[in-house]
Amino acid sequence: MDTNSKGKSDVLVKVALLTFAGIFFITISSGIRNNYGIMLNAIIAHTGIPIASMSLILGVGQFVYGLVQPLFGILAAKKGNRYALVSGVFITAAGLILTPFSNSMFTLMLCLGIILPTGTGILSYGIIIGTIAPKIPAKMVISISGLVNASVGLGNILMSPLVNALIESGGFMYGMHMLAIPVIVSLPIAFFLGKNDRDKTGDVKAPAPQAAAGVAIKTLFADALKSRTYRYLMAGFFTCGFHMALVINHLPAEFVAQGFSPESAAFAFSIFGVTTIAGSVLSGIFCSKLKMKNVLGFLYGLRPLTILLFLLMPRTLASMTLFTALLGFSGASTVPPVSGTVGKIFGATSIAMLYGLVFVVHQIGAFFSAWLAGICFYLTGSYTPMWIAALTLGLFASVISFAIREQKG
């Protein structure tokens, strides 16, 4: 084998290992975060905390999850990606281990509302892909980022039935402590993924350019917020967060409230994972061929149509599974057109910062959804008012997405 061929082979092996490491982390972290709804009834039974209070904890967790990503992104830039990833492993494991010992609103808020979402927020897409991208050829970044983003669906395919089975077989404490095992085992992977590359002289390679090099972050955000398109993206992503938090935190409880077993909810969320992957992949393909604003508008428009069908159809296992699957298809698939539009308008080097702010707004929507849904169910015994609110917001998001101009302004 000649030197050139060996060099290409080494690069491919390196890219494959980094990609699998990224997929592993996203699968584990999203599999924990996206299955709070599967855990919800078990948490309530274990702690005795009512659903209205639990929903506030879940809402705070949604906000914390979004907030820590840009904060730890900055920390990673200062102290290194390895520091951030190792911190994420320890914090996530601590949250899983400590949560079952919580027996009051305060301690559960601390463990489930702050510690665990902080850990899963660190081990999320932004920091993971930010760790991988500088170490692989630039031409491969888009395709690898698509694979890593699509692995969010694996978190549901693999872990929804696992989480349910662990809780059913050994109780909530047993289930959470068993979930901590793969997190702890991932520590060597965090060291591998976060290690610095060195050139032939032994010097650490220079990091990738940070957002809008030479431009103050404050100025970058100020310019972005003056853009109508950026404000529309933020408003749409608020709606996206509202939708997704309702799905992952409360839809499993909707299954149980309709008389279906927790196993049925876990099965439906496995299908949710499959359609999440399909939607993410197709969204990336269509974004490369069509205007991204039209892809985004279609995806947002699909949600109210899906909710309308759900409200009109009888509550059968088939209809609820179909509803869950369609929501999965239009869920994470909004990431490519949103991040792509930000990059197209403000430049690729600005994506990390500006998409991070949009995602914080996404999680503000998630906070209100997760919190208000629990109150709604406590007061009315139904989630129907929340689905109607989600339908209305979906229509709004679709309209403003089609009105986006894919240029600055």
Side-chain angles (χ1 to χ4, degrees):
M1 182 180 293
D2 59 43
T3 304
N4 190 39
S5 297
K6 186 178 184 302
K8 289 182 179 179
S9 177
D10 289 344
V11 169
L12 290 176
V13 170
K14 177 183 176 182
V15 170
L17 290 174
L18 290 170
T19 302
F20 282 123
I23 288 173
F24 178 83
F25 272 119
I26 296 299
T27 299
I28 296 297
S29 63
S30 66
I32 293 168
R33 175 179 173 265
N34 288 351
N35 283 301
Y36 287 158
I38 299 289
M39 306 173 191
L40 182 59
N41 288 329
I43 299 173
I44 292 172
H46 182 80
T47 62
I49 295 175
I51 190 170
S53 299
M54 266 302 308
S55 64
L56 177 59
I57 293 171
L58 293 175
V60 170
Q62 291 288 335
F63 179 69
V64 169
Y65 175 81
L67 184 63
V68 300
Q69 293 185 41
L71 294 179
F72 270 83
I74 294 171
L75 186 64
K78 292 182 177 180
K79 291 183 172 287
N81 291 316
R82 177 182 286 179
Y83 181 89
L85 293 173
V86 171
S87 298
V89 169
F90 280 113
I91 295 171
T92 302
L96 290 168
I97 292 168
L98 293 175
T99 294
F101 294 106
S102 304
N103 55 11
S104 68
M105 180 75 176
F106 173 78
T107 55
L108 193 61
M109 177 69 79
L110 178 63
C111 295
L112 186 63
I114 297 176
I115 296 176
L116 186 54
T118 296
T120 56
I122 299 169
L123 303 178
S124 62
Y125 173 80
I127 292 178
I128 296 296
I129 200 63
T131 302
I132 295 173
K135 302 176 181 180
I136 64 177
K139 64 183 180 180
M140 302 181 73
V141 169
I142 294 177
S143 58
I144 297 303
S145 63
L147 286 173
V148 173
N149 180 58
S151 66
V152 170
L154 286 176
N156 286 104
I157 295 171
L158 300 177
M159 294 189 67
S160 292
L162 175 62
V163 169
N164 182 70
L166 290 172
I167 292 174
E168 289 287 312
S169 62
F172 178 62
M173 181 175 290
Y174 173 78
M176 295 293 275
H177 289 172
M178 290 299 291
L179 288 175
I181 294 175
V183 175
I184 295 170
V185 169
S186 71
L187 188 60
I189 303 176
F191 276 97
F192 162 73
L193 188 61
K195 74 177 181 179
N196 293 320
D197 285 349
R198 296 178 180 273
D199 63 23
K200 294 180 180 179
T201 65
D203 295 328
V204 178
K205 289 173 66 176
Q210 298 302 310
V215 180
I217 293 175
K218 182 177 179 180
T219 302
L220 177 65
F221 285 139
D223 288 344
L225 291 172
K226 292 176 183 176
S227 166
R228 186 188 73 167
T229 291
Y230 189 71
R231 295 196 299 270
Y232 281 4
L233 289 173
M234 294 175 76
F237 234 33
F238 175 93
T239 295
C240 185
F242 190 95
H243 286 154
M244 299 317 297
L246 182 58
V247 173
I248 65 177
N249 290 293
H250 293 282
L251 186 54
E254 176 91 56
F255 273 81
V256 175
Q258 296 297 329
F260 302 109
S261 67
E263 290 79 9
S264 299
F267 170 76
F269 269 76
S270 292
I271 304 300
F272 178 90
V274 174
T275 55
T276 294
I277 294 174
S280 296
V281 172
L282 288 174
S283 175
I285 292 172
F286 283 116
C287 281
S288 66
K289 299 179 181 298
L290 305 171
K291 288 187 176 181
M292 287 180 284
K293 67 163 192 167
N294 292 338
V295 176
L296 188 62
F298 168 79
L299 290 170
Y300 282 143
L302 182 60
R303 295 182 188 181
L305 179 61
T306 301
I307 294 170
L308 180 62
L309 291 173
F310 170 69
L311 294 175
L312 296 177
M313 292 172 67
R315 299 293 199 275
T316 64
L317 182 57
S319 68
M320 293 196 68
T321 301
L322 175 62
F323 173 61
T324 307
L326 288 173
L327 289 173
F329 182 84
S330 63
S333 53
T334 57
V335 171
V338 171
S339 60
T341 302
V342 170
K344 184 175 181 179
I345 296 173
F346 299 101
T349 56
S350 300
I351 291 177
M353 287 290 183
L354 295 181
Y355 177 77
L357 179 59
V358 172
F359 190 76
V360 170
V361 175
H362 180 282
Q363 293 308 108
I364 293 174
F367 163 78
F368 284 109
S369 175
W371 175 37
L372 295 176
I375 295 175
C376 176
F377 189 82
Y378 178 77
L379 294 176
T380 68
S382 170
Y383 289 109
T384 298
M386 291 299 297
W387 291 119
I388 293 173
L391 185 156
T392 305
L393 286 172
L395 288 173
F396 167 73
S398 181
V399 169
I400 62 171
S401 295
F402 282 117
I404 285 173
R405 293 195 297 261
E406 291 189 7
Q407 67 271 350
K408 199 166 185 177

